Structures are given as structure tokens and as C-alpha cells.
Amino acid sequence: MEKKGNNRKLRVCVATCNRADYSKLAPIMFGIKTEPEFFELDVVVLGSHLIDDYGNTYRMIEQDDFDINTRLHTIVRGEDEAAMVESVGLALVKLPDVLNRLKPDIMIVHGDRFDALALATSAALMNIRILHIEGGEVSGTIDDSIRHAITKLAHYHVCCTRSAEQHLISMCEDHDRILLAGCPSYDKLLSAKNKDYMSIIRMWLGDDVKCKDYIVALQHPVTTDIKHSIKMFELTLDALISFNKRTLVLFPNIDAGSKEMVRVMRKKGIEHHPNFRAVKHVPFDQFIQLVAHAGCMIGNSSCGVREVGAFGTPVINLGTRQIGRETGENVLHVRDADTQDKILQALHLQFGKQYPCSKIYGDGNAVPRILKFLKSIDLQEPLQKKFCFPPVKENISQDIDHILETLSALAVDLGGTNLRVAIVSMKGEIVKKYTQFNPKTYEERINLILQMCVEAAAEAVKLNCRILGVGIGGGIIHQHELIHGSSFCAAELGHLVVSLDGPDCSCGSHGCIEAYASGMALQREAKKLHDEDLLLMEGMSVPKDEAVGALHLIQAAKLGNVKAQSILRTAGTALGLGVVNILHTMNPSLVILSGVLANHYIHIVKDVIRQQALPSVQDVDVVVSDLVDPALLGAASMVLDYTTRRIY
């Protein structure tokens, strides 16, 4: 992608708050630095980077030869919930001056920390475009809420997994502004394992430690359940002491509860225990080597479930802090880490194993993709974000006419003898019904239906009925809702094909249920018998001005006409086979037959189900509707359900 509408270098501000986010941002910063013809880089450092108790990690940024443009002391000490809120507030007070001075085109913000929320809020309110790294992921604690809040403020998104991309789309973010790049830290991880790791292991854990014979522990407080997370940390340390392996313990981050966790470490003498090395910070390049060659990593850091998978190192993930993360098979979850024994058993299961390397979070090529994405940003585009909401039903403002109107539908019933159209209210009341004899040809029928609908619609105005639509057809109800289908043509049950060489159907096909069992089909068969003088039985007559229809066929069958009985049996069997197909497809709990022919078909349909259906669906209830005019009411419900209740 070429730079769009930008005739000058893109001024990029990268703001980093702690050791964890710098490990993701540093590869991007190095990439930006290698292309000075396209970018100007400003680095802002804040948060725990500038606190001695957390390792003064700003120094590693200087060691990487980045010029730190601004240092902002934004942390209010206390390591509790109030201190986190005050720290956000302090950052919001200090950041406007910095952003006014730097005037970046875009700010790159990472992750889900409270410091990052302050950065994104400041940039958004000052009309600075935001690129958010690692949005769309799911973990646990307050981090989820913060991450998604930053997503809503950000203009562009770089995500690491396909699931995260789909989450962003589900959150109504513009797909064109989402880049699935992978995690930037993987660009370094996947090229790191061949370095001289033994010297690093000895430096941090001692000269007598062997590869794959030590543990790395990194556990943070869970801000939504601080008391439990401190207890879990205490149990973890007890389990590690019992397991009796050399262990590198990193101090927790600055979240609420971290101070209490450090007290637990000191109470147990971890800093002076011969099996433990407790440190505030390890440079990322060295940390990579340590976890890559560890016998196991334990804790609740995102690093354990994300980066460590690249090496196949066994991981024990404790508690709920990373509960929603995608993980490789190297991760064993102990979500309810409420006893020392559970954690100890997990250590015995995992320690020393080697799993396949996982690339869930990246393939080592994230930074080139991100740089290309940055170059494609058009600064001439409107700054205002657009959200891609799913379509919703148009809201109709209320007025007195709407309130006084009766919401209604036109229902059409195409019978063998008659065409019927009715105005049906929302309460299922037939306000007015229109009936006409069914013409002989298809074109005449369609024209008559249109004429009757126009007449009914005109009458509806006089009756103060607002027609919402016209309904024709059967229906399938699933979980108390009508199924309409993708093009609103679901449940055309009459056109299920039950014979490949059956009679022609009005739909243009042949062998449909309707071609066998509808009123028009029976009328056709009755006329054939009548024309051959094989229909009428003793006591029967058809006036000259009356058309032969399905009722005559039924009457003849009742009087013992074998051919009429055979036709009705074939029609009922066709309907039964169609019902069997529905049973095998939908597995409904109830089948309702309606119309004047339903009572004549029900016993045959039940027999076909017993003979043809799988045993698992044979217990279905088959009943005849006791509604008056069920065909009209069913057709109306298709319209009324869609237009007044369902949202697509």
C-alpha cells in the first residue's frame, strides 16, 4: 500500500507504560526508526517505567538507542484501587501539554493497562488518531473492560489472532481499519532461541543450574478479586518451595494488590531462599532465553499464555486473569487454584515436558505488515470514527394516527375451489374476508389475487387498519419464533418433492406435495374421474353450474368409491412422506395439519410416520388445528411476526 494523501512524513508517537508493553512496542519502534523517509518517531515514557521499585525500566529504552522525548511521572503510589484511579487522573492532567507540543499524526497505544486508557482518552479528545495494538482479545479482570474501551476510542486496530479480528468486527469496528498482523513480539521470539542462552541462565539463576531444570514464576494481582489473588500467590510460593527446584520469581506489576503480594514474598523469605532468585525486571531479550529453556513457567501473566507458546515451554496458568485467552497445548489451566496440592500436582505434570511450538499469536512478520498499514493511513480522511452497526428495523415515530390504527396483514389462501383474502389484525381477529371462485388458469388466478388484495387494502383504510404486508404460506416455529429464512421464503412445505416422476405442480416442478395433496390437486383428480363417469356414487349429484371439487372426491370415497379412496390415500401418503422429511430435518415436537382436508389426511400421515420415520422421531405429536380459518391466520402471522417483533 502506498501512502494516501500524505505529502510529508507521518509523525508517530509511541507511548509506553511498563516493561510488558515495551516488549510489544519495541519491534514496531525499531521498524519505524529504519524508515526515516516515511516516519518521524516521538517516544513518551510514563507509568511504572519510571519507578525504582519496578526496575526503572525506562533505561532499557535508552539502551535500545531510542531518544525519549518526554518522561511523565503518572503513578500515584499505594498499589490499591484508588491509586489506580488517581494515576489515570494524573496522566490525564499531564498528557495534554505533551500532545499539544508534539502534535503527532497518530499515537500507538498497546493493550489493556489503565495507563493506556489515559493515553487513548487524551488522544481521542485532542483529535489525534489512535492505533491500538492487541485489541479484540479476551482475558479476565478489569483488563477486558479497559481493552474494549480503548478499542472504542481507537481509529485503527492491529490484532494478533483471527478470533480477535472477529471480536473487533462484532464490536462494530470498521473492517477496513483492522489489520490482522500477529503479535510484534513474535518477530523477535521466533529468531531468538539459537543465542547463547546458558550464560543468561547462569547470570540470573546461578552457575549450577542446567537447561530445562528451573522454573520461571510471574504472577500479578487480579484487580477484581485482590484478596483471593494474594491467597493464590501464597499457595503458589508454598507449592514452589515444596517442589524444590531453582526458581526465578519476577515481582508483580503495579496493579492494585501488588504491594500485598510483595509482602507475602518477604514474609516467606523468598528473596533469601537458596532455591529462589527474586528480581524486579529482566530485559526482554534475556527473558526470552530464560522462558525458552525453562522446565516450566507458572503464574498468570499474559506472557505465559501468549509468548511462551512460541517455544513449547510448559506453562501452568493460575486463576482467572487469562481465562479467555487463546492458548496452545503447552498451557495447563488451574483456574480454581485454591489449594497448594493442586498447584503442586500441576508442577509435577508439567515440569520438564516439551510441547510443539505454537504460532497462534504470530508468524514473525508482524512489523512489516504494521509499517505497511501505517503508510496506508490517509490523513485527509475524516477523523470522526464510523461504527459498522448491524442493520436494525427502522424506528417509526409515533403519532395519534398510528396509535389509533389497527396493525394488520393481508392473508391469502389459495384453495382448490375458492380464493380467499382476509384482513387479519394483530390479535388474530379476521376483520373482513373476501372469497372468489378459483379460476382455471394460472394467469387468471394471479390477476384475481392481485385484484382482491387491492380491494382489501382499499377497504382497510376505511376500517382504520394499517396493512403491514401480505402473507402466503406455511410455517416452522423454532423456540417460539417463526423461521423466515434468508430470503423470507422458508417453510415452502407444499413444494417438498416426494416423487421424482410425480404429477406436474403449479410451481413448474413435479412430484411436490402440493401436486398430490392440495385442494387443487384433488379437484384435478376428481374432475378426471367425473369426466370418465367414475366419480359419482349412488345418492350423489353435481349441479351443472357447480364445479367438481375435492369435497365431491371425499364424499365419493366415504360412499365406497375405490378409485376416490386410492387417490386420497396417495395424497395422504405424499403428505406423510413430506412430514417425515421435515421430522428428519427439523426434529419438531409437534406437527399441526390445518384446512378442510386435514381430518381426512391425519390417520394416513400417522401411518406413514410409523412405517417410514426413524425411531427417534416417531413419537412426534401430529394434530389437526382447531382454529377457524387456520390457513388465513397462519399466512397473516408470517407478516405480523416479521414486521412487528423480529429484527434482522
Side-chain angles (χ1 to χ4, degrees):
M1 287 178 282
E2 297 298 326
K3 193 181 292 187
K4 297 179 181 178
N6 305 338
N7 296 319
R8 57 178 176 80
K9 297 179 183 180
L10 190 70
R11 190 158 192 177
V12 181
C13 177
V14 176
T16 173
C17 311
N18 54 64
R19 66 191 182 197
D21 77 14
Y22 181 67
S23 68
K24 318 294 178 67
L25 294 170
I28 302 173
M29 293 162 64
F30 280 115
I32 290 173
K33 195 174 180 180
T34 61
E35 299 197 27
E37 68 277 17
F38 289 105
F39 305 109
E40 290 182 15
L41 175 64
D42 291 316
V43 179
V44 175
V45 173
L46 64 158
S48 60
H49 272 310
L50 303 170
I51 298 178
D52 180 65
D53 287 350
Y54 294 90
N56 281 326
T57 50
Y58 73 90
R59 290 177 182 144
M60 64 182 177
I61 303 172
E62 294 177 331
Q63 291 167 1
D64 285 339
D65 201 26
F66 289 111
D67 294 327
I68 298 176
N69 184 280
T70 303
R71 293 175 172 83
L72 284 181
H73 292 271
T74 57
I75 296 299
V76 176
R77 300 304 298 273
E79 284 78 15
D80 58 13
E81 295 97 329
M84 291 169 65
V85 176
E86 291 167 355
S87 297
V88 172
L90 183 57
L92 289 171
V93 169
K94 292 187 173 184
L95 279 166
D97 287 341
V98 175
L99 297 179
N100 268 330
R101 175 168 48 84
L102 296 178
K103 291 183 170 50
D105 297 315
I106 190 163
M107 173 176 279
I108 298 181
V109 177
H110 169 270
D112 49 31
R113 310 294 301 140
F114 59 86
D115 324 70
L117 180 60
L119 286 164
T121 302
S122 300
L125 291 173
M126 297 185 71
N127 291 325
I128 297 169
R129 288 172 166 81
I130 301 166
L131 176 68
H132 184 209
I133 309 292
E134 290 187 13
E137 296 186 16
V138 179
S139 56
T141 76
I142 194 65
D143 293 356
D144 266 347
S145 299
I146 293 176
R147 185 186 310 111
H148 300 331
I150 296 173
T151 290
K152 292 294 101 184
L153 293 169
H155 303 80
Y156 307 96
H157 311 274
V158 172
C159 55
C160 302
T161 70
R162 184 69 64 186
S163 294
E165 179 187 38
Q166 292 303 312
H167 292 159
L168 289 172
I169 294 170
S170 298
M171 292 165 68
C172 306
E173 295 299 315
D174 186 347
H175 199 176
D176 291 338
R177 295 191 171 197
I178 300 171
L179 173 67
L180 175 55
C183 184
S185 64
Y186 265 60
D187 290 25
K188 183 174 287 188
L189 294 175
L190 297 179
S191 61
K193 200 170 179 180
N194 295 325
K195 296 182 179 178
D196 180 17
Y197 57 87
M198 282 309 302
S199 62
I200 297 172
I201 293 172
R202 295 188 186 105
M203 178 174 67
W204 290 100
L205 287 143
D207 293 338
D208 58 336
V209 176
K210 298 177 182 178
C211 176
K212 295 292 182 183
D213 198 35
Y214 62 89
I215 297 169
V216 175
L218 178 53
Q219 199 157 329
H220 302 301
V222 178
T223 55
T224 50
D225 194 353
I226 295 172
K227 185 176 179 180
H228 177 70
S229 65
I230 294 168
K231 178 63 177 176
M232 185 171 63
F233 185 53
E234 188 173 0
L235 294 172
T236 302
L237 293 178
D238 289 339
L240 288 168
I241 291 169
S242 298
F243 196 65
N244 198 30
K245 286 290 182 182
R246 191 67 55 84
T247 303
L248 179 71
V249 180
L250 280 83
F251 277 58
N253 64 19
I254 201 168
D255 282 351
S258 60
K259 187 163 57 177
E260 288 83 354
M261 292 179 72
V262 173
R263 287 197 189 107
V264 169
M265 288 175 60
R266 287 174 177 157
K267 178 182 175 183
K268 293 185 177 294
I270 295 300
E271 291 172 288
H272 305 290
H273 194 288
N275 261 353
F276 288 84
R277 300 291 185 270
V279 298
K280 296 176 181 177
H281 168 66
V282 178
F284 186 65
D285 286 352
Q286 297 176 28
F287 182 74
I288 290 172
Q289 300 301 326
L290 290 169
V291 296
H293 299 91
C296 179
M297 182 175 180
I298 188 170
N300 63 5
S301 169
S302 63
C303 174
V305 297
R306 292 170 56 94
E307 280 81 2
V308 178
F311 308 114
T313 301
V315 171
I316 300 169
N317 179 49
L318 302 174
T320 60
R321 190 171 184 267
Q322 307 296 338
I323 195 168
R325 295 276 190 195
E326 298 172 71
T327 64
E329 60 181 288
N330 64 310
V331 179
L332 174 63
H333 297 280
V334 187
R335 294 187 174 93
D336 190 13
D338 55 352
T339 67
Q340 176 185 335
D341 185 61
K342 278 186 186 178
I343 301 171
L344 193 57
Q345 289 297 323
L347 284 165
H348 283 293
L349 285 170
Q350 285 288 78
F351 186 80
K353 285 187 176 180
Q354 180 61 47
Y355 290 91
C357 298
S358 167
K359 292 186 179 181
I360 293 174
Y361 286 94
D363 60 1
N365 296 296
V367 171
R369 297 183 184 116
I370 294 170
L371 296 182
K372 194 174 182 181
F373 190 55
L374 283 169
K375 292 173 189 176
S376 73
I377 292 174
D378 185 357
L379 298 179
Q380 305 305 315
E381 285 184 347
L383 184 67
Q384 177 62 49
K385 277 189 70 169
K386 291 183 179 179
F387 297 103
C388 299
F389 294 108
V392 295
K393 188 177 66 174
E394 183 181 354
N395 182 35
I396 301 173
S397 59
Q398 289 287 334
D399 60 36
I400 190 65
D401 289 337
H402 288 158
I403 293 170
L404 295 177
E405 284 177 339
T406 301
L407 298 180
S408 307
L410 289 186
V412 177
D413 177 27
L414 181 59
T417 305
N418 296 317
L419 289 179
R420 298 190 301 162
V421 173
I423 302 171
V424 182
S425 74
M426 181 64 70
K427 295 180 180 179
E429 298 170 347
I430 295 180
V431 180
K432 190 162 185 178
K433 184 164 55 177
Y434 307 81
T435 303
Q436 296 278 3
F437 285 114
N438 197 345
K440 295 181 179 180
T441 68
Y442 173 80
E443 291 76 11
E444 289 175 328
R445 291 188 201 113
I446 294 300
N447 289 332
L448 182 55
I449 289 173
L450 291 174
Q451 179 185 329
M452 293 172 71
C453 287
V454 169
E455 180 183 343
E459 187 73 14
V461 176
K462 299 176 184 178
L463 296 171
N464 204 29
C465 294
R466 179 150 60 97
I467 301 300
L468 301 176
V470 180
I472 300 171
I476 297 173
I477 298 174
H478 176 61
Q479 295 182 348
H480 308 290
E481 293 189 3
L482 275 169
I483 295 176
H484 292 279
S486 61
S487 58
F488 310 106
C489 292
E492 284 289 354
L493 308 179
H495 295 289
L496 289 176
V497 175
V498 292
S499 174
L500 295 178
D501 55 356
D504 293 340
C505 180
S506 60
C507 71
S509 183
H510 51 266
C512 301
I513 293 175
E514 189 169 299
Y516 284 103
S518 68
M520 293 181 66
L522 295 185
Q523 182 185 37
R524 180 191 66 227
E525 296 301 317
K527 190 175 184 305
K528 285 181 182 178
L529 289 180
H530 188 60
D531 290 346
E532 297 172 6
D533 203 20
L534 298 174
L535 176 66
L536 299 182
M537 301 293 289
E538 185 178 348
M540 286 182 64
S541 63
V542 180
K544 291 183 179 181
D545 59 346
E546 182 179 323
V548 174
L551 292 178
H552 297 106
L553 188 72
I554 293 169
Q555 185 182 5
K558 287 181 177 179
L559 293 173
N561 187 318
V562 176
K563 290 186 178 296
Q565 291 172 349
S566 176
I567 290 169
L568 287 174
R569 192 178 306 108
T570 300
T573 301
L575 179 59
L577 290 173
V579 170
V580 168
N581 289 334
I582 296 168
L583 296 181
H584 290 166
T585 305
M586 301 293 296
N587 190 21
S589 60
L590 178 66
V591 175
I592 303 174
L593 304 180
S594 66
V596 295
L597 299 173
N599 282 311
H600 303 284
Y601 286 148
I602 187 167
H603 297 297
I604 302 174
V605 169
K606 288 182 176 180
D607 287 342
V608 173
I609 291 174
R610 281 193 294 269
Q611 296 166 13
Q612 301 289 337
L614 293 171
S616 57
V617 300
Q618 286 186 8
D619 292 335
V620 66
D621 288 333
V622 182
V623 299
V624 174
S625 172
D626 56 4
L627 293 172
V628 178
D629 291 318
L632 290 172
L633 294 177
S637 70
M638 301 292 284
V639 174
L640 297 173
D641 176 80
Y642 170 65
T643 56
T644 63
R645 184 162 59 86
R646 294 290 298 271
I647 294 176
Y648 296 89

